[in-house]
Amino acid sequence: MQDRFSPLGIPLRLTILLLPFCLGGLVTLRVINWAQLSVEVGGAPALPHASQPLIAQELVMDVLRERVAIAASREGERRPEPVQVLPEVVPSARIDDLVPVAYRSLVLRTAARHGLDPRLLAAVIKLESRFDRTTVGTHGEVGLMQILADTGAWLARYAGMESYDLRDDETSLELGAIYLAINLREYGSVEKALAVYNGGPRAAAGWESNIYVARVLSYYRPS
């Protein structure tokens, strides 16, 4: 036996000691290259088979998990924000002093539909019926906006209504708002429009001394 400290003994022992590390490094490099090749071919790694080395299977599964996470993140970026459903109408403080709570939404929606100032519409109803649907005028006017039967029939035809009830709250506001909007376009001023609403076209001439106009304006433009 050669002495362990001889010149030939030392290189031989070093070779024997380093051989496992060299072989392990080669195996690891082959595994890593296989996993990388799996990722590059086709843009996505193939699912690991049971025959593949355990280390390779774990590497491929890690790559798959990363790809799935990235895809989910990108899909989340493209997903639209949920549509926020807003209330149909938020009651305005401008009409709170004139309109009971139960009617505020209806007044605002109707006024907006016909391009009216909701406070003006509210002021007319306040004077006409004080929001009492059972009110009947001296000439047979009915409903919240106190509409005559003949005027109601004409307005219903204008609005394309085949059947209607002037005592119905929504119908009364709809037809009354249409009439008020027509007058505003025709006569060009709130005062004349109010006079005609109350007394017909001939009332437009004397609107300055019209008591009805003054009373509605006292609600519409309080001092």
Side-chain angles (χ1 to χ4, degrees):
M1 177 181 293
Q2 294 181 346
D3 186 73
R4 59 180 178 176
F5 296 106
S6 67
L8 291 175
I10 293 174
L12 180 61
R13 290 178 182 278
L14 288 174
T15 302
I16 293 172
L17 289 173
L18 294 174
L19 183 60
F21 295 99
C22 294
L23 292 175
L26 290 173
V27 172
T28 302
L29 285 174
R30 287 178 61 83
V31 170
I32 292 174
N33 288 337
W34 177 87
Q36 182 177 1
L37 179 62
S38 299
V39 173
E40 291 175 355
V41 174
L47 290 174
H49 298 286
S51 61
Q52 295 167 354
L54 181 59
I55 297 176
Q57 293 183 35
E58 292 177 354
L59 285 173
V60 173
M61 292 308 297
D62 287 342
V63 173
L64 279 172
R65 293 189 192 99
E66 183 180 359
R67 289 295 180 87
V68 171
I70 293 173
S73 175
R74 289 175 178 173
E75 181 64 24
E77 292 174 359
R78 290 193 296 266
R79 189 174 294 114
E81 292 290 334
V83 177
Q84 183 181 7
V85 179
L86 299 176
E88 184 178 6
V89 171
V90 178
S92 170
R94 293 190 64 242
I95 64 172
D96 286 357
D97 61 321
L98 297 178
V99 185
V101 174
Y103 287 107
R104 287 173 189 169
S105 179
L106 178 59
V107 169
L108 288 169
R109 283 190 284 110
T110 306
R113 190 161 51 248
H114 297 286
L116 296 173
D117 183 342
R119 188 168 181 85
L120 178 61
L121 183 61
V124 172
I125 303 170
K126 178 76 171 179
L127 182 59
E128 290 285 356
S129 66
R130 296 190 178 276
F131 289 91
D132 180 359
R133 69 179 68 179
T134 65
T135 300
V136 179
T138 56
H139 300 287
E141 305 94 333
V142 297
L144 292 178
M145 297 203 71
Q146 293 290 280
I147 299 174
L148 288 167
D150 291 344
T151 306
W154 176 78
L155 290 170
R157 288 195 300 272
Y158 182 91
M161 295 182 181
E162 295 182 359
S163 60
Y164 61 95
D165 180 1
L166 294 178
R167 291 178 174 82
D168 175 70
D169 293 343
E170 291 191 17
T171 302
S172 183
L173 260 71
E174 181 70 11
L175 297 182
I178 290 174
Y179 192 26
L180 193 56
I182 290 173
N183 291 343
L184 283 168
R185 290 194 298 269
E186 180 70 21
Y187 297 96
S189 74
V190 170
E191 293 81 4
K192 290 182 180 180
L194 291 173
V196 174
Y197 185 94
N198 175 248
R202 288 179 293 182
W207 66 266
E208 297 91 345
S209 58
N210 192 307
I211 296 176
Y212 176 89
V213 173
R215 292 180 65 187
V216 173
L217 292 179
S218 70
Y219 293 129
Y220 180 47
R221 302 167 182 162
S223 55

